[in-house]
Amino acid sequence: MQAATDSDSGSPVFVLVLCFFLVMGAIQVVRPQLLWKANARLQKGWVKNPQATEPTSKGYAMNRAVGVVFLGLVIWLLVQQL
C-alpha cells in the first residue's frame, strides 16, 4: 500500500468538473438571464406559460448573490485540488 502524501494533486476529471462549475457560476453572476432562458425550454409541457415564470429583478439579484457564494466555494475547492 502506498500512503497519500501532501504533494498528491486532485483527480484531473474532478478539476475539469470544477472548471465547468466555475464557468456556470460566472454566468450566473454576470448574466443569470441566460441560465433562465436555457432552462425555460424545459418548462414546456409542465407550465402553461413559461415566459410568465421569469424572475423579477429582485429574483435575478438573489441568483447573483447565490452565484457569488457558489463561485467562492468552487474556487476554494479548486485551490484545494491544485
Side-chain angles (χ1 to χ4, degrees):
M1 273 190 188
Q2 185 179 12
T5 62
D6 289 337
S7 64
D8 288 341
S9 63
S11 166
V13 175
F14 188 61
V15 171
L16 185 64
V17 169
L18 285 176
C19 289
F20 173 75
F21 286 155
L22 186 70
V23 170
M24 293 303 293
I27 292 171
Q28 185 175 355
V29 170
V30 176
R31 292 286 307 238
Q33 297 89 350
L34 292 176
L35 292 179
W36 179 82
K37 287 178 185 177
N39 292 324
R41 295 183 198 126
L42 299 174
Q43 294 181 8
K44 292 181 182 180
W46 295 85
V47 178
K48 290 182 183 179
N49 185 4
Q51 298 300 322
T53 64
E54 184 173 5
T56 62
S57 60
K58 289 182 182 181
Y60 282 131
M62 188 64 192
N63 281 339
R64 285 185 173 101
V66 170
V68 168
V69 172
F70 181 75
L71 274 177
L73 177 67
V74 170
I75 290 170
W76 179 76
L77 285 171
L78 199 54
V79 168
Q80 294 296 318
Q81 291 297 311
L82 300 177

